[in-house]
Amino acid sequence: MKTVVIYHSQTGFTKRYAQWIAEATEADCFDYSIAKKKNLDSYDNIIFGGWAFAGGISKLNWFKSNVEKWLKKRLIVFCVGASPIENPDVALALKQNFDKPELKNVHAFYCPGGLNYEKMPTPSKLMMKLFIKTLKKKKDKTEEEETMIKMISSSYDISDKKYIEPILECLNK
């Protein structure tokens, strides 16, 4: 079975997971900007990874636009975000992105990554700083909000190879 891993990464976390998956499966691995120009017909398994933002997944529309022509392939999407895997919002976001009937054959996974302010583009960095400032000003913050403020106020990395295990299991079914 021939596999390709395609990723769209902003600060490196998604690329890291894509490379880990490619190494574990001996798959080809391409950045989205290269993969979108390639003919992927020869692959049996197509794995796409994008970074999570505000409940969405970067470049997921590109992937969705190709699902119909890839119906006979195993399709897997993983997204990488700054939230821990236990965060209940993660499952809601995945469901929201994959609840359409045409996506019923797409297997979706979440991999926690982190934040890297040093590699983040200026507009994203400014948006995060504004979000933190707004949260800090809020009166009667919940315990979760206090934890979030501490967590997202600086760069951190919670990525781990163990989070690709469910993706590898899905490939081996």
Side-chain angles (χ1 to χ4, degrees), residues 52-69:
F53 66 95
I57 301 169
S58 67
K59 304 304 179 191
L60 184 62
N61 285 338
W62 168 81
F63 179 85
K64 287 180 176 182
S65 72
N66 288 290
V67 165
E68 197 170 302
K69 71 179 178 185

Side-chain angles (χ1 to χ4, degrees), residues 16-31:
R16 179 184 300 155
Y17 276 108
Q19 289 172 333
W20 285 341
I21 295 165
E23 288 168 11
T25 61
E26 297 180 1
D28 292 333
C29 187
F30 303 111
D31 181 272

Side-chain angles (χ1 to χ4, degrees), residues 110-150:
Y110 176 78
C111 300
L115 288 174
N116 187 333
Y117 285 107
E118 293 75 27
K119 290 185 178 179
M120 197 177 284
T122 302
S124 297
K125 198 182 305 185
L126 291 172
M127 191 168 56
M128 287 300 297
K129 296 298 180 187
L130 181 62
F131 177 65
I132 294 166
K133 188 176 179 179
T134 303
L135 259 182
K136 284 180 175 178
K137 285 183 177 180
K138 184 179 176 192
K139 295 180 195 277
D140 302 320
K141 289 182 269 303
T142 65
E143 189 175 322
E144 287 97 4
E145 290 167 331
E146 291 286 359
T147 301
M148 184 185 295
I149 291 168
K150 288 177 190 167

Side-chain angles (χ1 to χ4, degrees), residues 87-121:
N87 185 330
D89 294 338
V90 167
L92 290 172
L94 284 178
K95 186 177 188 309
Q96 170 187 314
N97 283 284
F98 295 97
D99 67 351
K100 297 180 177 42
E102 66 270 22
L103 299 175
K104 68 179 184 217
N105 294 326
V106 176
H107 306 276
F109 298 91
Y110 176 78
C111 300
L115 288 174
N116 187 333
Y117 285 107
E118 293 75 27
K119 290 185 178 179
M120 197 177 284

